[in-house]
Amino acid sequence: MSAHGHEHGHHDHSHTSSDAEGRAKALGWAIAITLGFAGVEAVGGWWAGSLALLGDAGHMVTDTVALALSFLAARLAQRPPSPEMSYGWRRAEVLAALLNAVFMLILVVALGLAAIGRLQQPVPVQGGVVMLIAAIGLGVNLLVLWQLHGTHSHALNMRGAVLHVIGDLLGSVAALIAGLVVWLTGWTPIDPLLTLLICGLILVSAGRLLRDVIRVLMEATPPGTDLDAVRRRLGAVEGVVAVHDLHVWTLAGDRLLLSAHLSVDSDQNWPATLMAAQRRLRDEFGIGHATLQPESPQYRQLARAADDVLDDHCH
């Protein structure tokens, strides 16, 4: 028996397209706001002599590139499946998240080296100017974060974009604190020290994003999905004798897919068994795209006979 059950519905595709369109719109606004303020922060950082401001400006420039990648990926994700791309372009968002994580790691190294240099050779910092620009930057980053809020942040692409914005926000906070300390005490090492602290925080977040991207690309079982529990619940469906060749993966970190072979006691009741299995996967595990292959007793007998013939031929 080679027939199989396959469920994902047209509503699933339209919902995914709507999500991607919302992400693309939010990213478009975020790019415009981020790029505009990066120039202001770069000029202010150069004038005030603040590494924290210059670093945050550089961070925002890389963020603009990263957000542009995310924007392109979100647009590609709206394209429907085709004979050449049967799953569509959802994985483009994962690739964008991968590039974003790499950009973040490169930025952390660059800022870290610059901060160490500033600790060895301190330079004058104008605390008042730093505070003013950092306060404006904090407001800008909060606005960008609000634009991205609620756009399916579980998608890896959006997680990468949000990570960059949070890194910017932390950079603005660090610059604000550094400006305040310099303005009150004149102690300039606070500027590179806070820069190193922010580098550490960004490094942890970028590392987690990179780990999750690699898991998706390797088609690992998504976090939070208990494969043994899925196997047990499928095996408990009436008419199912055993479950094997079970796989659960995700295209972009937010939508689960499943394939499995179900040994059934009779092929006559397969339509009812298929519907019950798909309903259980959808309701209990949030898996709306499942491909299930039935194996009846007759099929298993034929498969065993074929295996015996193959073994005899090999020997």
Side-chain angles (χ1 to χ4, degrees), residues 80-284:
S82 66
E84 293 78 17
M85 303 288 288
S86 60
Y87 273 122
W89 290 77
R90 292 298 313 284
R91 278 279 166 89
E93 296 195 276
V94 180
L95 296 178
L98 175 61
L99 291 176
N100 281 345
V102 172
F103 278 151
M104 294 295 291
L105 294 176
I106 293 173
L107 180 67
V108 164
V109 172
L111 286 178
L113 292 175
I116 292 172
R118 282 291 182 93
L119 286 172
Q120 295 172 341
Q121 295 182 345
V123 299
V125 177
Q126 298 184 40
V129 176
V130 173
M131 281 193 296
L132 176 61
I133 297 177
I136 298 172
L138 182 60
V140 168
N141 287 316
L142 287 172
L143 177 61
V144 173
L145 196 61
W146 176 78
Q147 282 287 334
L148 299 179
H149 177 69
T151 53
H152 266 241
S153 59
H154 293 297
L156 285 176
N157 184 37
M158 293 307 297
R159 280 183 55 193
V162 170
L163 171 60
H164 278 272
V165 176
I166 290 176
D168 277 338
L169 192 149
L170 292 174
S172 296
V173 171
L176 185 60
I177 295 174
L180 180 62
V181 171
V182 171
W183 184 60
L184 292 176
T185 69
W187 191 56
T188 56
I190 187 64
D191 188 68
L193 285 174
L194 285 177
T195 301
L196 287 174
L197 175 62
I198 298 305
C199 284
L201 295 175
I202 295 173
L203 183 62
V204 172
S205 297
R208 288 174 178 169
L209 177 63
L210 188 60
R211 176 201 62 193
D212 291 343
V213 167
I214 291 174
R215 285 185 61 87
V216 170
L217 293 177
M218 294 296 293
E219 297 189 345
T221 302
T225 301
D226 187 339
L227 202 63
D228 289 334
V230 174
R231 188 186 307 275
R232 287 195 301 271
R233 295 302 291 154
L234 277 178
V237 173
E238 185 177 357
V240 176
V241 177
V243 179
H244 57 98
D245 291 334
L246 173 63
H247 303 282
V248 180
W249 71 101
T250 178
L251 287 179
D254 58 343
R255 181 184 174 207
L256 301 180
L257 299 93
L258 175 146
S259 67
H261 287 203
L262 303 183
S263 296
V264 294
D265 54 12
S266 172
D267 56 3
Q268 294 180 350
N269 297 324
W270 172 242
T273 302
L274 172 63
M275 291 181 62
Q278 290 175 332
R279 188 181 305 113
R280 180 165 294 185
L281 290 172
R282 182 182 62 248
D283 295 344
E284 297 185 17

